[in-house]
Structures are given as C-alpha cells and as structure tokens.
Amino acid sequence: NQFKTMRKYLIIPSFIFFFLGCSSNDESTNEIPQKNDTTNPEISINGIENGDTVETITSLNVSIMDEDNQITTTILVDNQEISTNENKQFTIDIDPFDFSSGAKTLTIESTDSSGNTTTITQSFEMKKLLFINSDFQIPLLFSNPELETYISINTMEGELLDYQKIEADQETRFYAPNMVERQNIIATMFMFYPNSQNR
C-alpha cells in the first residue's frame, strides 16, 4: 500500500509541470506585432484660397484625413497661433478686425499620435471693410451730373476713418485704418455743386 501511494505522489507533479510548460509556449506564439504608422495626415480646406482678400468675417473649413483618430491641428496667421483643434472636421471664423491689415500667411499644421505631421500654407490679403456705398439709398438728385457726392465714415465719437468721392454706377468700398477695432460707425453722404454759381 505504501508503494502505491508513493507512485501517486510521484506521477501527479510531473503532469502539473507539463501543463504549465505548454501554457507558457502558447502565450508567446499568440503575440501580434505592432503596426508602424508612417502615413502623414491629409489636410483640405475651403473658405480662404491663395491670393484671396479677406475683408469680412470669413469661415475657414478644415478637414483632416488619417487612419489615426488622435489628431491635433493648429491654425496660425503670420506664425501666431489662433486655434488648436482635435477634431477631424471643424470650422473657425477669421475676423479681419482681430489682425493688422496687409499681406498674411495662413498655416495649418496637423499631427497624429505617431508624430506624423503635415503642414500647408496659404497667402492672402487682410483688409477691414467698413462700408460699401451701395448700402446707401441714393437720392434722385444723384442723377444730376453737376452734383458731386461724397461719403464720410466716422466713429461714434466723430473721428474720421475714411472719406471718398462717389461716382455714379460705381461701387466704392471704405476700409478702416490698420489698428482700428470693430465698432459702430456713422456714414454720412454729402451732395453739393462744386461751383457756387450753379446753386
């Protein structure tokens, strides 16, 4: 009876060792290699194109294409960051009154979680539109060729921002000086005879 009992205790540990060894080998063979992402994001935009003039609030629509869902996109104007977004599609508004007037460079940079980066640039002109003469209801007197017509644009405090002569059937645009902020304005039309003898 003692011999039979010893045989049982000797055989059982050998089965346990064999089982554990097989389990370790199975785990090592099931490992899946990581895929190395080397593809840069693709950027497409509309709303501002090369050579455009931005005079009023303009919507810039940005779309990013990439298999990675962890995307960070940065928008810069003249290397000054104005927006950062982690969505693949988004829209931002560009207001000329938030910037100085003149030639501008728009930069869009998109980076995924693997560090792949794409950068695109657009060049455009920034101007601060205040008023268009077609916004006025021109009196019938305007048809008189002897009359000269002018429009002045002033701040609510009376500061002169722009002043131009208006020609018949021509659109005239009035712009703010470089550092003027967005504000309410007063547009005044003047009509008079240039020669006093014609009054």
Side-chain angles (χ1 to χ4, degrees), residues 13-154:
S14 67
F15 278 109
I16 295 175
F17 176 81
F18 178 75
F19 175 76
L20 292 176
C22 291
S23 176
S24 176
N25 290 336
D26 288 344
E27 288 180 359
S28 63
T29 57
N30 289 334
E31 292 181 0
I32 300 174
Q34 294 286 335
K35 181 181 178 181
N36 189 20
D37 180 8
T38 58
T39 304
N40 293 333
E42 295 182 13
I43 304 174
S44 61
I45 66 170
N46 64 65
I48 298 178
E49 303 293 339
N50 264 322
D52 280 356
T53 298
V54 176
E55 300 181 341
T56 60
I57 296 176
T58 301
S59 294
L60 176 67
N61 303 304
V62 182
S63 180
I64 310 299
M65 293 183 62
D66 195 275
E67 292 183 359
D68 192 341
N69 288 322
Q70 297 181 19
I71 300 290
T72 301
T73 302
T74 304
I75 313 294
L76 305 97
V77 174
D78 287 348
N79 294 321
Q80 297 293 319
E81 181 179 323
I82 63 171
S83 177
T84 298
N85 202 296
E86 296 183 352
N87 297 319
K88 286 190 173 183
Q89 293 185 337
F90 61 93
T91 299
I92 67 168
D93 289 333
I94 305 295
D95 186 348
F97 283 87
D98 292 337
F99 306 90
S100 60
S101 301
K104 299 294 174 187
T105 299
L106 172 70
T107 303
I108 303 175
E109 183 178 276
S110 186
T111 304
D112 64 20
S113 61
S114 297
N116 303 307
T117 299
T118 298
T119 302
I120 65 172
T121 60
Q122 303 275 25
S123 298
F124 66 99
E125 184 81 10
M126 191 85 80
K127 302 177 76 173
K128 304 179 182 185
L129 181 65
L130 290 171
F131 186 78
I132 304 175
N133 69 309
S134 57
D135 294 336
F136 257 127
Q137 296 294 325
I138 306 297
L140 293 177
L141 288 173
F142 191 79
S143 59
N144 187 336
E146 296 182 350
L147 279 173
E148 289 188 357
T149 303
Y150 291 82
I151 292 178
S152 68
I153 308 296
N154 297 76

Side-chain angles (χ1 to χ4, degrees), residues 123-193:
S123 298
F124 66 99
E125 184 81 10
M126 191 85 80
K127 302 177 76 173
K128 304 179 182 185
L129 181 65
L130 290 171
F131 186 78
I132 304 175
N133 69 309
S134 57
D135 294 336
F136 257 127
Q137 296 294 325
I138 306 297
L140 293 177
L141 288 173
F142 191 79
S143 59
N144 187 336
E146 296 182 350
L147 279 173
E148 289 188 357
T149 303
Y150 291 82
I151 292 178
S152 68
I153 308 296
N154 297 76
T155 66
M156 300 300 291
E157 291 74 31
E159 179 185 354
L160 181 64
L161 298 176
D162 200 359
Y163 181 78
Q164 295 188 56
K165 181 179 179 180
I166 305 302
E167 302 292 344
D169 301 324
Q170 291 185 9
E171 181 181 85
T172 304
R173 293 175 174 248
F174 297 80
Y175 297 97
N178 187 29
M179 301 308 296
V180 171
E181 298 179 352
R182 181 174 293 280
Q183 59 186 291
N184 293 326
I185 60 171
I186 301 172
T188 306
M189 176 181 286
F190 302 91
M191 304 180 71
F192 59 91
Y193 290 103

